[in-house]
Amino acid sequence: MNIGLWVAAGLLALLYLAVGFVKLTRSRERLRASMGWVEDFPVLVVRLIGLAEIAGALGLVLPLATDVQPWLTPTAATCLAVLQALAITVHVRRRELAQLWVNVLLLLAAAFVAVGRFAGW
């Protein structure tokens, strides 16, 4: 189970690092082309979401890997699951249902890591 949790956390971390970096660095216009939801939020909120994703990605791996405050790993996974639940809400309200399965998959993966690490697996 430990290997599965590390794989899930590592893949999530890579994805959230990449997507968070994109949200922090791209212009609103460039983001709008692939993420239509950004038009509903101020650019500061989009940047903060990107920052939260990067912090969550680091929190998925670093605390447990360094054995410094390892409780932060399941906490970061829980926060990312909440972030995905909020993203699902936004996409449903905007009727962007075609790619909703991606958000659901990310929520489930983050929940898997959170439950597994809180349980001590």
Side-chain angles (χ1 to χ4, degrees):
M1 186 62 73
N2 188 41
I3 293 172
L5 289 167
W6 274 111
V7 169
L11 291 173
L12 283 171
L14 289 173
L15 178 85
Y16 280 113
L17 276 174
V19 174
F21 183 76
V22 166
K23 288 176 186 153
L24 276 178
T25 59
R26 287 199 180 157
S27 69
R28 184 182 185 100
E29 291 72 32
R30 286 190 64 200
L31 286 172
R32 195 176 297 140
S34 60
M35 300 177 195
W37 62 268
V38 301
E39 63 192 35
D40 292 349
F41 295 92
V43 71
L44 178 61
V45 172
V46 176
R47 302 287 188 235
L48 288 173
I49 291 169
L51 189 61
E53 290 172 338
I54 291 171
L58 296 174
L60 283 174
V61 177
L62 292 180
L64 201 59
T66 61
D67 200 31
V68 175
Q69 304 294 328
W71 59 271
L72 286 172
T73 293
T75 303
T78 301
C79 291
L80 289 171
V82 169
L83 184 70
Q84 283 307 309
L86 295 170
I88 289 168
T89 302
V90 168
H91 292 301
V92 168
R93 285 185 181 167
R94 289 179 49 87
R95 297 188 187 353
E96 298 170 342
L97 305 178
Q99 299 295 322
L100 197 61
W101 65 272
V102 174
N103 296 100
V104 172
L105 184 64
L106 292 173
L107 185 147
L108 292 173
F112 169 69
V113 173
V115 169
R117 291 304 182 201
F118 274 127
W121 296 341

